[in-house]
């Protein structure tokens, strides 16, 4: 498999904690190939910066052009630009990006002062606007945001006003880092764009050894984007990578030591809490499932429910998408009653009010339903809850509600439903399953899972496999269910054989 290339266009930190050195360490830890375009050589240690040697624009241009001819990037991280000539050189280069090459994702971390409070750039803020329309996201801290916008940022309101000014100048997305706003025990990064507003919250670690966190965060975002994750996940993973690095940081030098460079973030404790204005902030916990989900068919009628219960299915879902379907309530009621007789775990998709009214075993909700449904009422009624997720970010949102299971989709391309996201594949599924393991929330995989894929999906450690067409489109439904159930049990038999072998 080809290795994604990411460039950093930044200053060299002789102390190795920030700048190019932090970026290249991050790239390596997150499994991308890093290329470097040095803008400025700094003489710097953990205590102070004693010298700044900006390179001429020609030197920067030549590095950029040389790389472009051979090592085209999936993403570019821009850090220290020391003066107007350097900024214009980078802006011209991006403006003239050839149509023959895929356009890279560009992250700009506008470095103005060092951690040691030494001024690193002579750039006048009003000239930074030239680069704003050419970058995909900017990652200023509060001081940098104030400097760039001319707005003194002291709270959420002034932060939004400052961001608005940058949006007017052509920026489309911004991640404002390291805000406390009166909560000294928590530290938040705010993602703002025309589409929304996401707050990534961590416990404030108050470590002294945080040199290079801004550089690390922005180069981690570029790395995760290069792995083709959506932006909100790139921010989530980068945030967790920095948190992990702050915990692992060792003091090197007499001053502020560098953030540590580790590996793809894991476990879940390093990941942020995610807040949006739309999501309910409620402290909930839903009942556990009575049985492992195992094979979990998702079907659209009472007749299917009846057929599958008779074939021995123990976890299943009634998914009737049309809210005006005739006999909707009757189908839900009959299905619930029959599933009870078979001691099966029946989840009702979407129609949570009817599920409560008819005392269902459980409800399955999508992410967009979380803002509309009354989660408190579902919990009060004693129903189980399953939640769909399609990314790291959605997974973190879902697990905060402590649901009865979390669905991870869509793993493979599916014809059953038009999906706005890309298929996740087995590698990501493995990462999500490992992330969820300490929470004890069962994980269910869904999307494009056919009989021949069951073994590989099971090998990720998943607790259940949800299928639609593998059953509903089968020529012989009875045979399909029998084969799927057998395949689901197959590795259990292998495992018990292995356990026997180990026990000997
Ligand atoms: C087990 C399972 N996983 C995911 C889904 C999808 O649910 P949702 O996101 O609510 O989308 P719709 O099914 O309503 O289209 C599911 N139904 N079951
Ligand atoms: C209903 C549904 N939800 C998904 C998700 O990822 O949330 S994928 C999906 C369709 C699954 O059907 P099939 O097994 O035929 O691919
Ligand atoms: Mg739904």
């Amino acid at each position: 498999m080809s290795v994604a290339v990411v460039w950093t266009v930044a200053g060299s930190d002789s102390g190795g904690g920030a700048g190019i050195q932090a970026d290249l360490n991050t790239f390596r830890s997150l499994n991308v190939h890093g290329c470097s375009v040095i803008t400025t050589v700094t003489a710097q240690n953990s205590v102070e910066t004693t010298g700044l040697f900006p390179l001429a624009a020609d030197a920067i241009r030549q590095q950029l052009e040389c790389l472009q001819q051979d090592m085209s990037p999936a993403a570019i991280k821009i850090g220290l630009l020391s003066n107007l000539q350097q900024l214009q050189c980078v802006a011209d280069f991006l403006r003239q990006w050839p149509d023959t090459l895929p356009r890279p994702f560009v992250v700009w971390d506008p470095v103005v002062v060092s951690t040691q409070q030494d001024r690193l750039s002579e750039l006048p803020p009003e000239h930074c606007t030239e680069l704003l329309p050419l970058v995909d996201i900017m990652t200023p801290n509060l001081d940098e945001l104030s400097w760039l916008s001319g707005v003194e940022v002291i709270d959420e309101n002034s932060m939004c006003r400052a961001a608005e000014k940058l949006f007017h100048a052509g920026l489309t997305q911004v991640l404002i880092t390291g805000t406390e706003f009166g909560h000294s025990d928590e530290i938040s990064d705010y993602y703002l764009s025309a589409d929304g507003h996401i707050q990534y919250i961590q416990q404030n670690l108050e470590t002294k050894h945080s040199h290079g966190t801004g550089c690390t965060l922005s180069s981690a975002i570029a790395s995760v984007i290069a792995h083709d994750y959506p932006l909100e996940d790139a921010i989530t993973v980068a945030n967790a990578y920095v948190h992990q690095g702050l915990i692992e940081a060792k003091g090197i030098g007499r001053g502020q030591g560098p953030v540590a460079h580790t590996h793809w973030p894991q476990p879940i404790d390093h990941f942020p809490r995610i807040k949006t204005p739309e999501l309910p902030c409620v402290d909930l916990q839903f009942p556990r499932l009575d049985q492992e989900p195992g094979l979990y068919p998702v079907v659209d009628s009472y007749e299917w429910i009846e057929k599958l219960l008779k074939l021995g299915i123990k976890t299943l879902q009634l998914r009737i998408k049309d809210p005006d379907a005739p006999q909707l309530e009757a189908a839900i009621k009959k299905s619930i009653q029959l599933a009870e007789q078979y001691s099966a775990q029946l989840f009702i998709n979407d129609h949570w009010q009817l599920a409560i009214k008819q005392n269902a075993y459980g409800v399955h909700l999508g992410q967009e339903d979380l803002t509309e449904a009354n989660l408190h009422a579902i919990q009060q009624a004693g129903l189980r809850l399953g939640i769909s997720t399609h990314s790291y970010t959605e997974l973190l949102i879902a697990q905060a509600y402590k649901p009865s299971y979390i669905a991870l989709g869509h793993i493979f391309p599916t014809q059953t439903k038009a999906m706005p996201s890309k298929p996740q594949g087995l590698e990501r599924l493995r990462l999500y399953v490992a992330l969820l393991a300490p929470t004890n929330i069962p994980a269910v995989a869904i999307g494009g899972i056919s009989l021949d894929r069951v073994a590989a999906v099971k090998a990720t450690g998943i607790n259940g496999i949800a299928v639609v067409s593998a059953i509903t489109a089968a020529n012989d439904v009875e045979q399909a269910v029998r084969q799927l159930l057998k395949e689901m049990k197959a590795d259990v038999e292998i495992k018990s054989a292995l356990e026997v072998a180990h026990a000997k």
Side-chain angles (χ1 to χ4, degrees):
M1 230 171 72
S2 66
V3 177
V5 171
V6 181
W7 299 356
T8 166
V9 181
S12 162
D13 170 2
S14 53
I20 290 277
Q21 288 78 0
D23 298 341
L24 291 177
N25 275 325
T26 306
F27 295 159
R28 190 180 167 87
S29 302
L30 296 178
N31 311 318
V32 295
H33 178 78
C35 298
S36 60
V37 172
I38 296 183
T39 57
T40 298
V41 173
T42 73
Q44 200 178 152
N45 57 29
S46 71
V47 183
E48 61 181 340
T49 304
T50 59
L52 286 171
F53 303 92
L55 265 65
D58 279 349
I60 295 172
R61 189 175 309 107
Q62 196 160 339
Q63 295 176 77
L64 291 167
E65 287 173 355
C66 177
L67 286 176
Q68 194 182 48
Q69 281 161 28
D70 185 45
M71 305 178 93
S72 191
I76 301 178
K77 172 253 160 89
I78 302 172
L80 175 62
L81 299 173
S82 287
N83 52 44
L84 192 52
Q85 293 76 13
Q86 290 193 349
L87 181 132
Q88 280 171 341
C89 165
V90 173
D92 286 344
F93 181 78
L94 290 176
R95 219 178 274 117
Q96 289 157 20
W97 194 268
D99 292 340
T100 48
L101 290 176
R103 203 172 171 81
F105 187 93
V106 181
V107 184
W108 184 17
D109 181 37
V111 179
V112 186
V113 291
S114 72
T115 331
Q116 308 93 345
Q117 299 304 312
D118 296 310
R119 176 107 195 179
L120 297 179
S121 176
E122 290 170 5
L123 267 179
E126 59 278 14
H127 284 105
C128 290
T129 51
E130 184 173 348
L131 198 50
L132 294 182
L134 297 164
V135 306
D136 294 283
I137 189 164
M138 190 183 225
T139 60
N141 60 29
L142 282 186
D143 289 340
E144 289 157 350
L145 181 65
S146 299
W147 173 80
L148 276 161
S149 63
V151 174
E152 193 195 355
V153 181
I154 49 165
D155 53 18
E156 264 193 49
N157 270 341
S158 49
M159 177 184 74
C160 291
R161 264 189 289 120
E164 270 313 312
K165 284 189 88 174
L166 303 185
F167 293 152
H168 275 124
L171 187 70
T172 53
Q173 311 183 83
V174 65
L175 181 73
I176 299 144
T177 64
T179 72
E180 288 181 12
F181 296 145
H183 302 276
S184 58
D185 55 332
E186 285 183 349
I187 190 145
S188 289
D189 294 346
Y190 283 84
Y191 165 76
L192 307 181
S193 77
D195 296 338
H197 182 152
I198 305 177
Q199 189 180 351
Y200 299 81
I201 309 164
Q202 290 277 13
Q203 283 305 110
N204 199 340
L205 295 172
E206 291 194 2
T207 170
K208 176 181 165 194
H209 305 304
S210 59
H211 184 45
T213 44
C215 304
T216 300
L217 182 79
S218 51
S219 50
I221 292 172
S223 307
V224 183
I225 286 281
H227 285 293
D228 206 20
Y229 281 86
L231 178 60
E232 79 256 25
D233 267 12
I235 297 172
T236 297
V237 174
N239 179 298
Y241 179 78
V242 170
H243 186 81
Q244 189 167 273
L246 286 170
I247 286 180
E248 299 278 322
K250 312 272 181 289
I252 301 174
R254 283 177 288 115
Q256 274 187 282
V259 62
H261 292 279
T262 53
H263 47 76
W264 194 271
Q266 176 96 299
I268 199 163
D269 313 351
H270 291 311
F271 281 77
R273 191 154 57 83
I274 310 256
K275 203 168 149 188
T276 73
E278 301 81 28
L279 283 167
C281 293
V282 275
D283 191 11
L284 298 170
Q285 173 140 30
F286 290 86
R288 294 183 63 83
L289 298 179
D290 293 288
Q291 330 172 33
E292 274 272 293
L295 177 64
Y296 179 3
V298 176
V299 292
D300 63 1
S301 68
Y302 167 74
E303 288 70 27
W304 270 112
I305 296 288
E306 184 180 30
K307 192 180 298 193
L308 292 169
L309 289 170
K310 286 181 176 165
L311 289 171
I313 293 294
K314 289 295 180 193
T315 303
L316 68 180
Q317 183 183 129
L318 182 62
R319 176 176 180 263
I320 300 177
K321 288 310 291 178
D322 177 5
D324 304 317
Q327 310 296 318
L328 173 68
E329 185 165 359
I332 289 175
K333 185 174 177 181
K334 281 199 299 182
S335 300
I336 292 170
Q337 285 171 348
L338 196 64
E340 248 175 44
Q341 287 173 30
Y342 279 84
S343 304
Q345 310 183 124
L346 174 68
F347 284 81
I348 305 300
N349 185 43
D350 296 347
H351 308 292
W352 58 273
Q353 292 101 328
L354 290 176
I356 293 177
K357 185 174 168 198
Q358 299 300 339
N359 195 22
Y361 182 82
V363 176
H364 183 93
L365 295 178
Q367 289 277 320
E368 54 295 346
D369 306 320
L370 296 177
T371 55
E372 310 290 329
N374 186 339
L375 299 182
H376 211 259
I378 297 170
Q379 186 204 31
Q380 287 294 100
L383 272 58
R384 281 107 196 130
L385 176 68
I387 303 179
S388 297
T389 70
H390 306 92
S391 63
Y392 267 107
T393 311
E394 290 188 358
L395 187 155
L396 292 172
I397 290 170
Q399 66 89 31
Y401 297 114
K402 302 193 188 85
S404 314
Y405 73 82
I406 287 181
L408 306 164
H410 55 308
I411 307 305
F412 302 105
T414 175
Q415 306 301 317
T416 304
K417 178 175 172 180
M419 301 299 300
S421 48
K422 293 183 186 170
Q424 310 254 23
L426 289 170
E427 192 45 49
R428 285 188 199 179
L429 180 61
R430 215 168 281 122
L431 290 170
Y432 299 148
V433 170
L435 204 63
L436 272 178
T439 68
N440 289 321
I441 300 172
V444 170
I446 185 167
I449 305 177
S450 47
L451 179 63
D452 56 324
R453 286 170 163 161
V454 168
V457 174
K458 276 222 79 182
T460 62
I462 204 90
N463 306 93
I465 294 185
V467 295
V468 180
S469 54
I471 289 178
T472 58
N475 291 329
D476 182 341
V477 169
E478 199 173 324
Q479 190 192 30
V481 170
R482 223 178 305 110
Q483 286 176 328
L484 283 162
L485 283 172
K486 191 167 163 221
E487 192 69 9
M488 291 293 294
K489 286 203 189 107
D491 78 333
V492 176
E493 279 155 24
I494 292 166
K495 202 163 123 203
S496 5
L498 282 175
E499 277 162 8
V500 171
H502 282 304
K504 278 186 183 166

